[in-house]
Amino acid sequence: MSSIFGIILTVICVFGGYILAGGKMDIILYSLPYEMMIIGGAAVGAFACANDMHTIKSTGKDIVSVFKGPKWKTDDYRDLLCLMHELVRLSRENPVEVEGHIENPEESSLFQQYPRILASTNFVELISDTIRSMLMNFDDVYQVEELLDKQLEGMKEESLHGSHALQSIADALPALGIVAAVLGVIKTMASIDKPPEVLGGMIGGALVGTFLGVFMAYSFVGPMAAKVKSIREQEHYFYALIREVLVSSLHKNDTSICIEVARRSAPKHDRPSFADIEQALKDLKTAA
């Protein structure tokens, strides 16, 4: 919602101020389609040239997330902690049973209670691979911690590809605006014999390209890249909670302590309260 408000406010203030200062929209509206074709087409072409299909698709999802916000909400953090509580408890009490859950998560009655988490392939693989290693007596805390850190860092870097791609386009847009403006000047110079009022309109149309390049770079694409980066970094906390729970478990802490350590690592605005977790775990036991 804040992103939509920001876009509307930007457009109103920029063009409203221009009109109140006595500017005319005719020349901008006349030149807009052609300048947008040049600048936008060049930007899209450069984007497609610089990135593989996976990054292109993920960037599209990133743009949608600018308006939808982070994927994981407070309820998801609560569900994650409940799921991790049960997996850690089972890994200590009944390793054979927990092995069945991590080998076939789609058929696991435990994972099925949390469909949003189960739908995240990266998340399920991270949990399954780490617990599988623990069950194979790969229980050196520092080795597991290093392994998780490397895997999480790789996941984070991959999730930021869309942000990097958008920022590259934002950096290029002012220069592409200059390209459009230069083409407009070339067109104007070819009509140098026209009256001054005609030449003035043509020069003004050429300058629209420079305006659009700078305007789109610093008012839209650049802020979107920054928002995507913020969202992906915030979502990364969700995956990092797995590390906190499992590493704490390897330190032989009580299961409830492992969950509390992870809960306090969650972002403050998405962190479920201690009472919420306690109640959720009681409901889980009742349902079982």
Side-chain angles (χ1 to χ4, degrees):
M1 184 63 69
S2 62
S3 298
I4 296 175
F5 172 76
I7 290 174
I8 294 174
L9 180 63
T10 298
V11 172
I12 290 175
C13 289
V14 170
F15 290 103
Y18 171 73
I19 293 172
L20 290 175
K24 304 296 183 182
M25 290 294 295
D26 295 350
I27 185 62
I28 294 179
L29 294 175
Y30 173 78
S31 303
L32 189 62
Y34 312 109
E35 302 293 337
M36 281 297 296
M37 181 178 180
I38 295 171
I39 300 171
V44 171
F47 174 76
C49 181
N51 299 284
D52 56 30
M53 188 55 64
H54 175 73
T55 301
I56 292 173
K57 291 180 179 179
S58 65
T59 303
K61 296 178 181 178
D62 288 338
I63 293 174
V64 173
S65 71
V66 169
F67 303 99
K68 294 179 63 176
K71 177 180 179 180
W72 306 114
K73 312 298 182 184
T74 303
D75 289 347
D76 297 312
Y77 280 88
R78 181 199 62 211
D79 291 346
L80 166 63
L81 293 174
C82 289
L83 172 62
M84 295 305 300
H85 180 279
E86 291 303 291
L87 288 172
V88 170
R89 181 182 63 80
L90 285 174
S91 68
R92 294 176 174 180
E93 298 177 0
N94 193 341
V96 175
E97 183 179 352
V98 79
E99 188 174 355
H101 287 294
I102 63 173
E103 292 298 336
N104 296 290
E106 295 80 9
E107 300 177 7
S108 164
S109 58
L110 182 56
F111 277 95
Q112 287 175 356
Q113 295 181 60
Y114 310 105
R116 279 176 54 81
I117 295 176
L118 181 59
S120 176
T121 304
N122 288 338
F123 178 85
V124 174
E125 287 181 352
L126 181 62
I127 292 180
S128 300
D129 290 346
T130 306
I131 293 182
R132 189 180 296 110
S133 298
M134 293 168 61
L135 294 176
M136 294 168 61
N137 294 324
F138 183 36
D139 56 0
D140 186 306
V141 176
Y142 302 105
Q143 284 186 322
V144 173
E145 193 170 0
E146 182 180 2
L147 178 68
L148 283 171
D149 284 341
K150 289 181 178 179
Q151 191 169 358
L152 288 170
E153 185 62 30
M155 292 171 61
K156 181 179 180 180
E157 182 60 32
E158 183 178 355
S159 72
L160 292 175
H161 285 175
S163 172
H164 297 327
L166 285 174
Q167 187 58 55
S168 296
I169 294 300
D171 294 340
L173 278 172
L176 295 177
I178 293 174
V179 170
V182 170
L183 290 174
V185 172
I186 293 173
K187 175 187 173 184
T188 302
M189 295 304 293
S191 304
I192 197 67
D193 58 334
K194 300 294 183 182
E197 58 272 15
V198 176
L199 291 175
M202 295 177 71
I203 294 172
L207 292 175
V208 170
T210 303
F211 160 72
L212 284 177
V214 175
F215 182 57
M216 290 192 298
Y218 295 108
S219 296
F220 297 115
V221 183
M224 281 187 178
K227 183 68 175 290
V228 168
K229 181 179 180 181
S230 175
I231 288 173
R232 295 300 175 235
E233 288 180 342
Q234 182 177 335
E235 290 178 346
H236 186 69
Y237 283 108
F238 190 77
Y239 299 97
L241 292 194
I242 302 171
R243 173 189 179 280
E244 300 299 329
V245 173
L246 297 181
V247 171
S248 181
S249 176
L250 287 172
H251 279 291
K252 309 303 181 184
N253 290 320
D254 184 77
T255 304
S256 298
I257 298 298
C258 298
I259 300 306
E260 179 60 16
V261 169
R263 186 189 72 84
R264 296 189 183 188
S265 300
K268 186 175 181 179
H269 52 280
D270 285 324
R271 183 187 305 157
S273 68
F274 179 84
D276 288 340
I277 297 298
E278 190 174 30
Q279 184 60 48
L281 290 174
K282 286 181 181 179
D283 294 340
L284 194 61
K285 291 179 181 178
T286 302

